[in-house]
Amino acid sequence: MGFRMGIVGLPNVGKSTLFNALTRTAAAQAANFPCCTIEPNVGEVAVPDARLDRLAAIAGSAQVIPTRMTFVDIAGLVRGASKGEGLGNQFLANIREVDAIAHVLRCFEDDDITHVEGRVDPIADAQTIETELMLADLDSVERRRAGLSRKLRGGEREAVTQDRLLAAAEEALASGRPARTVTVAEEDMRSWRLLQLITAKPVLYVCNVEESAAATGNAQSERVAEMAAGEGAAHVVISAAIEEEIAQLAPEEAAEFLESLALTEPGLDRLIRAGYALLGLQTYFTAGPKEARAWTIPQGTLAPQAAGVIHGDFERGFIRAETIAYDDYVALGGEAKAREAGKLRAEGKSYVVQDGDVLHFLFNT
């Protein structure tokens, strides 16, 4: 599995420029006027992972297939979007479909690029976005609670659970706190997710800085870092302008360009790693002469469910997983040597797959 990250922010903060760079396309129009992105643009990118190339070289794989991540560039938000201002209704509908939210915040000064609020203040921008999303959630919660009244009178168990969770969300939202601050018991998580509250989604703040600050950040990105730490959220510093330029270069030229800027990797790599951590995701691999492939799963996934990511039959007919840790696979030079050295393990249905595991599934359907 991959995951969908929605890129949101006020107009002219660099959302579409970042999207264009990340997806290496020009699908999203980056123009100097509000709401230039009318429909959500969706792009898939390969998740860079040096481990996959190493495994492919050892296994002599004919194909290398990375796992993929989906970015959704969502129309710019403006004050009043929760009441339908600007493209608010489309924005709110589109953002409900993503797994996580990347708030792109303008942390650069440029007199040639107007700011919808007439000033550069990433903290205020973040508060504007959060407020609009909380207002939208509050409206949704109130309407849904009103719609449950008949089922509650009938004592329907699921309705009682939903109302209890909605009441907890309403209390948080009414006091100015996003739904993700609500403590939800493990047995309620399924019902909670079905509520599809926008502010329950995990958030990553993306600080868009000028080129000269790409490696170190600046005073504005430091303010965002403090805000994120206070919320228990994550943040990354990226120069969308640099990412856009890198996207047009050959790999060798891109590496030289990054080195000249004192950067060790593209912002895409940092963004994906932050996204993985945000959603608790990890990667396992399959490797052989035909192909080496990366697969994304949530942390804590059991072997049968990990097999099911490849094909449902693998999960239904799961027998066992032949497992080699990535470090052992590389150090010993492949599956055969790992087997000889006793580093290939046969794991059953209760095995929790680890990040970097090289797996071969045995199944019977």
Side-chain angles (χ1 to χ4, degrees):
M1 60 172 278
F3 69 95
R4 294 168 63 88
M5 176 166 279
I7 303 177
V8 305
L10 292 175
N12 296 341
V13 298
K15 287 188 312 89
S16 294
T17 300
L18 180 63
F19 175 83
N20 291 342
L22 290 173
T23 59
R24 288 179 167 82
T25 73
Q29 178 189 10
N32 187 24
F33 56 90
C35 305
C36 64
T37 308
I38 305 302
E39 296 294 338
N41 291 278
V42 179
E44 283 198 342
V45 296
V47 175
D49 194 326
R51 296 176 300 178
L52 180 60
D53 294 327
R54 189 76 182 274
L55 291 173
I58 293 171
S61 305
Q63 271 190 301
V64 179
I65 306 175
T67 188
R68 305 188 73 80
M69 173 177 173
T70 301
F71 287 98
V72 184
D73 178 27
I74 300 173
L77 181 68
V78 295
R79 194 180 300 276
S82 60
K83 301 301 181 184
E85 293 295 325
L87 299 169
N89 292 331
Q90 290 167 266
F91 176 96
L92 297 170
N94 296 329
I95 201 172
R96 293 185 195 279
E97 303 302 317
V98 300
D99 301 307
I101 299 171
H103 280 195
V104 181
L105 299 173
R106 178 170 171 171
C107 296
F108 65 90
E109 300 281 351
D110 190 331
D111 292 338
D112 293 330
I113 302 178
T114 59
H115 190 289
V116 71
E117 298 282 357
R119 82 299 180 253
V120 175
D121 186 343
I123 306 303
D125 288 356
Q127 291 170 345
T128 295
I129 294 171
E130 192 82 292
T131 297
E132 293 300 328
L133 298 184
M134 286 192 293
L135 288 172
D137 269 349
L138 186 58
D139 180 64
S140 172
V141 166
E142 290 172 346
R143 285 187 287 104
R144 294 181 72 168
R145 290 196 74 190
L148 285 174
S149 57
R150 181 180 299 178
K151 292 181 178 180
L152 288 172
R153 287 195 296 271
E156 291 188 25
R157 181 180 301 178
E158 183 59 29
V160 171
T161 299
Q162 284 188 18
D163 187 65
R164 173 169 52 81
L165 294 174
L166 287 168
E170 184 174 14
E171 181 182 357
L173 293 163
S175 62
R177 294 182 290 111
R180 60 182 170 274
T181 62
V182 175
T183 301
V184 181
E186 184 63 34
E187 59 268 24
D188 288 331
M189 284 306 300
R190 180 180 176 278
S191 296
W192 176 255
R193 284 191 290 267
L194 289 174
L195 298 180
Q196 288 191 306
L197 298 175
I198 297 172
T199 62
K201 298 178 186 295
V203 171
L204 170 66
Y205 292 112
V206 181
C207 304
N208 185 16
V209 301
E210 65 274 15
E211 291 189 26
S212 60
T216 60
N218 59 21
Q220 296 284 25
S221 66
E222 288 175 5
R223 294 177 63 208
V224 175
E226 291 178 8
M227 175 184 69
E231 297 177 1
H235 82 286
V236 293
V237 175
I238 286 178
S239 169
I242 288 177
E243 297 304 314
E244 190 172 42
E245 189 164 349
I246 290 172
Q248 311 305 319
L249 299 175
E252 299 78 11
E253 294 175 320
E256 292 176 5
F257 180 55
L258 286 169
E259 187 177 354
S260 72
L261 296 169
L263 295 170
T264 58
E265 61 182 353
L268 170 60
D269 295 25
R270 297 194 302 276
L271 181 55
I272 288 177
R273 280 203 305 274
Y276 264 47
L278 192 67
L279 287 175
L281 301 174
Q282 65 184 25
T283 302
Y284 78 84
F285 302 100
T286 53
K290 182 179 178 181
E291 67 178 33
R293 186 161 184 166
W295 306 87
T296 301
I297 55 173
Q299 294 171 8
T301 298
L302 298 178
Q305 286 69 56
V309 173
I310 299 177
H311 196 286
D313 287 348
F314 283 28
E315 180 176 358
R316 287 188 290 271
F318 180 87
I319 298 173
R320 66 179 182 273
E322 293 184 340
T323 308
I324 307 171
Y326 170 79
D327 289 342
D328 290 336
Y329 191 100
V330 172
L332 295 167
E335 180 180 331
K337 294 290 181 63
R339 188 186 297 271
E340 291 174 11
K343 295 296 184 179
L344 185 151
R345 312 183 311 275
E347 301 286 2
K349 294 182 178 180
S350 62
Y351 176 66
V352 178
V353 176
Q354 302 299 302
D355 184 57
D357 275 353
V358 183
L359 301 176
H360 174 68
F361 296 107
L362 283 77
F363 68 100
N364 182 27
T365 57

